[in-house]
């Protein structure tokens, strides 16, 4: 830039500087403070300072400001990406405590863990629920939900469960369409978690109304239900139902369905 600017050049630079302050000030008014610039400009005029030098320095100052803002924005984006990765890693860690069942190559990883969680629940918690409630009037509160969980978690003759067989067919029918695959996945998660929520809620309601004798002992066959026997054998009804209710909530939370079901903790 030449030492002394023409009137036209000064006017052009002034317009450029003001335009930059207005444009960037919309998003960052404190950083791009046009009022401060106008004050500095008037001061230079009053003191008959070197206007060319002043405008040159202001242009350089503006470029520095823009550079800093761009760096901050880049850092924020990097932090967002880092946070997102951390959240995804934490979510996956929660799922990895469940058994993963690779029932079909198209099935999402989350779905394989969910099927594993449902199989574990069917092996460990369902036999205890049936031992406590089967044959009692109270069983009617849980029956529909238990049937849903049995259809998802119980398999026969080495085949996937009935519900998982249906899901596999739907995944194949989706023909690789990611939207349809996601829809099938979310439907299974939703149905399973609604059933778990209803079981947990029914347990809490029936316990609050003293419809269960909390001091009776759980009786599950070591031979028929080895996993249930290890966890619940010898425990009282009251403590067992607390544990089952907590297990339901834990699965719902781990598979991020709590907000959808109105169960924010």
């Amino acid at each position: 830039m030449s030492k002394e600017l023409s009137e036209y050049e000064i006017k052009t630079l002034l317009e450029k500087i003001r335009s930059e302050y207005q444009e960037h000030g919309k998003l960052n008014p404190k950083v791009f403070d046009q009022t401060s610039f106008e004050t500095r400009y008037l001061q230079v005029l009053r003191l008959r300072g070197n206007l060319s030098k002043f405008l040159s320095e202001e242009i350089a100052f503006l470029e520095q400001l823009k550079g800093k803002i761009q760096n901050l924005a880049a850092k924020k984006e990097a932090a967002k990406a880092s946070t997102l990765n951390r959240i995804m890693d934490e979510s996956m860690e929660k799922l990895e405590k469940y058994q993963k069942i690779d029932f079909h190559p198209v099935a999402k990883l989350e779905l394989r863990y969910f099927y594993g969680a449902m199989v574990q629940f069917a092996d460990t918690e369902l036999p205890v629920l049936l031992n406590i409630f089967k044959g009692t009037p109270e069983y009617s509160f849980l029956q529909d939900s238990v049937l849903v969980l049995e259809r998802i978690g119980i398999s026969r003759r080495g085949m996937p469960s009935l519900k998982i067989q249906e899901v596999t067919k739907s995944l194949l029918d989706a023909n690789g369409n990611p939207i349809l695959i996601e829809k099938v996945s979310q439907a299974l998660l939703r149905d399973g978690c609604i059933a778990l929520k209803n079981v947990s809620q029914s347990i809490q309601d029936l316990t609050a109304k003293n419809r269960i004798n909390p001091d009776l002992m759980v009786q599950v066959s070591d031979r028929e239900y080895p996993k249930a026997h290890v966890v619940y054998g010898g425990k009282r009804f009251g403590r067992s139902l607390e544990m089952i209710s907590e297990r339901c909530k834990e699965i719902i939370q781990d598979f991020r369905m709590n907000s959808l079901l109105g169960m924010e903790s």
Side-chain angles (χ1 to χ4, degrees):
M1 190 180 287
S2 58
K3 280 195 173 182
E4 291 302 324
L5 300 172
S6 66
E7 272 190 42
Y8 174 77
E9 285 171 326
I10 287 170
K11 186 182 174 187
T12 303
L13 272 182
L14 268 174
E15 283 175 1
K16 176 180 167 52
I17 290 168
R18 284 169 173 155
S19 169
E20 292 263 13
Y21 271 111
Q22 282 167 14
E23 183 188 337
H24 295 287
K26 287 173 189 171
L27 292 175
N28 295 284
K30 286 184 180 177
V31 177
F32 293 92
D33 184 357
Q34 188 176 350
T35 307
S36 294
F37 162 72
E38 298 294 351
T39 304
R40 290 194 298 274
Y41 173 58
L42 288 173
Q43 196 172 11
V44 170
L45 290 180
R46 267 202 312 272
L47 297 172
R48 299 180 184 279
N50 186 330
L51 201 52
S52 299
K53 186 170 180 292
F54 168 74
L55 292 176
S56 173
E57 286 172 354
E58 283 293 329
I59 289 283
F61 176 63
L62 262 175
E63 290 305 314
Q64 279 183 344
L65 281 184
K66 286 194 284 185
K68 282 180 182 176
I69 290 295
Q70 282 170 356
N71 284 340
L72 281 173
K75 282 178 185 174
K76 278 184 184 176
E77 284 304 313
K80 272 186 200 172
S82 172
T83 303
L84 186 60
N85 287 337
R86 193 182 72 249
I87 290 167
M88 288 175 75
D89 288 344
E90 285 171 1
S91 294
M92 194 48 65
E93 271 176 34
K94 287 179 181 178
L95 302 192
E96 283 169 354
K97 67 187 175 193
Y98 300 103
Q99 176 188 3
K100 182 177 70 163
I101 302 177
D102 296 317
F103 63 91
H104 196 275
V106 179
K108 290 176 66 182
L109 191 58
E110 187 179 34
L111 217 55
R112 301 177 201 199
Y113 279 117
F114 187 68
Y115 181 30
M118 293 292 93
V119 167
Q120 285 175 310
F121 191 89
D123 287 343
T124 310
E125 277 74 34
L126 277 184
V128 180
L129 279 177
L130 294 173
N131 176 245
I132 295 172
F133 290 106
K134 200 75 183 275
T136 69
E138 286 72 31
Y139 185 56
S140 62
F141 292 94
L142 296 113
Q143 190 169 9
D144 290 346
S145 298
V146 167
L147 286 172
V148 170
L149 296 171
E150 283 178 340
R151 275 179 62 79
I152 299 173
I154 294 179
S155 53
R156 302 268 188 265
R157 298 184 298 277
M159 294 284 288
S161 69
L162 290 172
K163 187 65 181 176
I164 291 299
Q165 288 180 50
E166 289 174 14
V167 166
T168 301
K169 184 181 181 304
S170 298
L171 289 172
L172 289 168
D173 289 345
N175 201 25
N177 183 319
I179 295 168
L180 292 178
I181 289 170
E182 182 64 26
K183 196 174 174 183
V184 171
S185 304
Q186 287 301 311
L188 180 68
L189 286 167
R190 186 189 63 241
D191 292 349
C193 287
I194 286 171
L196 290 170
K197 179 189 175 183
N198 291 342
V199 166
S200 177
Q201 192 63 58
S202 297
I203 286 171
Q204 288 172 44
D205 293 346
L206 293 168
T207 304
K209 291 172 184 172
N210 298 316
R211 297 281 292 269
I212 299 129
N213 183 343
D215 298 322
L216 292 176
M217 303 293 282
V218 169
Q219 305 287 335
V220 283
S221 163
D222 184 12
R223 186 177 57 80
E224 247 186 302
Y225 307 110
K227 291 179 181 175
H229 182 79
V230 167
V231 179
Y232 294 97
K235 284 192 170 61
R236 298 184 188 278
F237 280 12
R239 177 61 188 138
S240 297
L241 289 173
E242 277 177 22
M243 288 168 65
I244 292 169
S245 181
E246 286 308 309
R247 186 65 168 161
C248 291
K249 291 178 190 171
E250 183 183 24
I251 294 170
I252 291 166
Q253 206 154 24
D254 287 345
F255 286 89
R256 307 188 315 279
M257 295 297 285
N258 47 323
S259 298
L260 186 69
L261 301 182
M263 292 176 70
E264 293 95 282
S265 51

